[in-house]
Amino acid sequence: MKITNILLDVVSIPRHTGFVCQHAIVRVMTDEGIVGIGEMSDFSHLPKYSVDVRDLQATLQASLVGRDPFELIAINREMAEMFPETMYYYEKGTFIRCGIDIALHDLVGKALGVNISTLLGGRVRDKLKVCYPIFRSRTLEEVDANVDVVRKRLAQGFDVFRLYAGVNPDADEAFLDRVRQEFGSRVTIKSLDYSHLLDWKSALRTTKRLEPYGVQLVESPAYRNDFEGLRNFRMGVDLPVSEHVWSFKQLQDMIRYDSVDIFNIALIFIGGFQAARKAAAAAEISGKGVLIGTTQELSFGTAAQAIFGASLTNLNAISDPTGPELYVDDVTTEPVRYENGYLLVPEADKPGLGMDIDWEKVERLRVEGFSWGAQKVANLQDRTRGS
């Protein structure tokens, strides 16, 4: 079997917040008619540069056409050389590598007639407990709307929430107080997510203030790649500390500094199944836990996250992939399913990823390429109120 073509279809889909996100659906074509599908999820991140999708498609074609798709290790290594680590969260290169890697795994699974779970060694669970994100309240006036999100999502079965915090501690405390008063023990706040916006000392002060409201852990409470500051923060709180994994060098430094308790691993930020499995193994060897992170993927990318999480023996914290619930539309024939706050792993009896793309939806949502236009930095950070 040989790869004959690589195609990228960019779709633009709004979130319920009004922010518009763009994703690339990857097709890896072969001479035997088997097509592998991947997702390069949510390119709408800082830094605010855009990838030329036609140039990227041509680059991938030049590299991959004629290759054996079963050469997963060799192709992943070449992709890592073409799109190397930069020690930066939201690096677009990992998004690209992730989409190709998911598509190759989907293709190989289809060719062998097995689910990707089989390629990863099977499953140890069929569902993942997940949390719904509450986007950052920059003013006190935004608190009411965020409490209303909790109210509506709780009615749908989501009882755990992740709070983006730190920009306005008064608003954060007002939100947590309102949640405690209205919902009591029916609602759990999984984490305070500072998104690297604060230095570790400021994050520590804010955490001491908000900790009494019953949060379970703290995420990204220091500037990016400040491993010493991250450790200082960890030593100053009783809560577990989590950080995203976006490169193997960064992962090595977090282990060396003993900076975190839980590694936040998302396929999109580390570059796909193979890279994510290495990161999870490193976490397990170093005695650290794992949660499955997210950039808020569509259903196809979320299904990949679920399959990865289902394979882990050290998944010991509530995870984050609820992207399909945030968007007003999707590209699969059937969305991933959530029940009682759990993400259900796609059925194991379907080859590949086990999800099908609705190409009529793709055509309807298609745009020419990636572009962020005049959206403000705060909107890009918080994924809200596109302008």
Side-chain angles (χ1 to χ4, degrees):
M1 182 185 293
K2 299 295 181 184
I3 297 172
T4 57
N5 203 2
I6 308 291
L7 298 177
L8 304 178
D9 297 289
V10 179
V11 295
S12 182
I13 305 178
R15 296 188 180 187
H16 293 292
T17 61
F19 185 85
V20 178
C21 295
Q22 294 166 336
H23 317 257
I25 307 304
V26 182
R27 282 183 280 177
V28 178
M29 323 289 283
T30 67
D31 57 359
E32 296 187 14
I34 301 173
V35 180
I37 306 297
E39 180 181 310
M40 299 177 185
S41 311
D42 192 7
F43 263 71
S44 310
H45 279 287
L46 294 167
K48 199 183 176 184
Y49 62 77
S50 300
V51 176
D52 185 306
V53 69
R54 299 281 75 86
D55 179 69
L56 174 60
Q57 180 174 281
T59 298
L60 293 170
Q61 289 167 343
S63 176
L64 297 178
V65 169
R67 300 289 296 273
D68 180 348
F70 280 77
E71 295 178 347
L72 292 169
I73 294 174
I75 292 176
N76 267 278
R77 182 172 58 188
E78 183 170 329
M79 290 294 100
E81 292 172 353
M82 292 176 60
F83 307 101
E85 294 183 352
T86 64
M87 290 284 284
Y88 189 81
Y89 190 36
Y90 301 138
E91 165 53 41
K92 302 300 191 292
T94 62
F95 291 35
I96 294 165
R97 287 191 277 119
C98 178
I100 293 296
D101 183 72
I102 292 174
L104 290 173
H105 277 79
D106 183 56
L107 195 162
V108 169
K110 289 173 178 174
L112 296 176
V114 300
N115 190 266
I116 289 176
S117 290
T118 301
L119 304 180
L120 301 184
R123 301 180 178 189
V124 295
R125 61 183 59 82
D126 293 319
K127 59 184 179 180
L128 283 66
K129 186 66 175 177
V130 293
C131 61
Y132 194 88
I134 301 298
F135 294 104
R136 197 169 280 107
S137 293
R138 292 179 175 268
T139 67
L140 285 167
E141 288 72 25
E142 295 172 347
V143 170
D144 284 345
N146 278 335
V147 173
D148 192 49
V149 171
V150 174
R151 191 177 296 117
K152 292 177 179 177
R153 293 299 176 173
L154 180 61
Q156 296 173 347
F158 293 97
D159 57 355
V160 182
F161 296 86
R162 172 167 58 105
L163 176 63
Y164 286 91
V167 168
N168 187 333
D170 291 339
D172 297 334
E173 184 166 19
F175 169 80
L176 292 170
D177 186 60
R178 288 274 304 280
V179 167
R180 183 170 64 179
Q181 289 185 39
E182 181 171 344
F183 307 106
S185 61
R186 291 184 296 152
V187 163
T188 297
I189 302 298
K190 186 203 82 170
S191 62
L192 303 172
D193 188 341
Y194 293 119
S195 306
H196 314 110
L197 296 179
L198 303 180
D199 65 89
W200 73 268
K201 291 183 180 179
S202 298
L204 183 60
R205 286 192 297 271
T206 301
T207 301
K208 294 288 188 181
R209 176 178 176 180
L210 302 179
E211 185 177 358
Y213 291 93
V215 298
Q216 292 187 338
L217 59 90
V218 182
E219 300 188 73
S220 305
Y223 291 144
R224 282 185 298 270
N225 300 320
D226 179 10
F227 308 110
E228 185 175 359
L230 197 56
R231 175 179 167 78
N232 289 338
F233 178 92
R234 180 174 176 244
M235 294 299 100
V237 297
D238 293 328
L239 297 171
V241 175
S242 173
E243 182 56 279
H244 304 76
V245 178
W246 55 77
S247 82
F248 290 119
K249 175 62 168 63
Q250 176 239 9
L251 174 63
Q252 181 185 48
D253 286 338
M254 287 193 292
I255 292 173
R256 185 171 70 247
Y257 280 89
D258 199 17
S259 297
V260 301
D261 302 284
I262 300 169
F263 289 120
N264 180 321
I265 302 175
L267 300 182
I268 195 73
F269 293 132
I270 193 63
F273 285 115
Q274 283 208 340
R277 293 180 71 194
K278 290 179 182 178
E284 188 166 19
I285 290 169
S286 59
K288 307 297 184 181
V290 169
L291 66 83
I292 305 302
T294 188
T295 184
Q296 308 304 352
E297 299 80 3
L298 300 175
S299 278
F300 201 87
T302 301
Q305 295 269 72
I307 287 173
F308 169 60
S311 72
L312 299 183
T313 57
N314 59 331
L315 182 68
N316 63 355
I318 296 170
S319 294
D320 298 339
T322 52
E325 294 292 315
L326 272 67
Y327 293 105
V328 303
D329 212 334
D330 213 320
V331 297
T332 50
T333 56
E334 297 290 338
V336 292
R337 293 172 54 208
Y338 295 89
E339 287 185 0
N340 299 319
Y342 284 86
L343 167 61
L344 304 187
V345 184
E347 296 295 330
D349 58 354
K350 290 193 66 175
L353 194 70
M355 301 285 287
D356 297 315
I357 298 294
D358 184 330
W359 292 104
E360 290 185 1
K361 289 184 179 179
V362 171
E363 188 60 34
R364 174 169 52 82
L365 298 166
R366 184 194 307 276
V367 293
E368 289 302 312
F370 302 114
S371 176
W372 320 143
Q375 295 185 97
K376 298 176 182 179
V377 169
N379 295 336
L380 289 165
Q381 287 173 337
D382 296 342
R383 343 298 286 156
T384 56
R385 289 175 298 282
S387 58

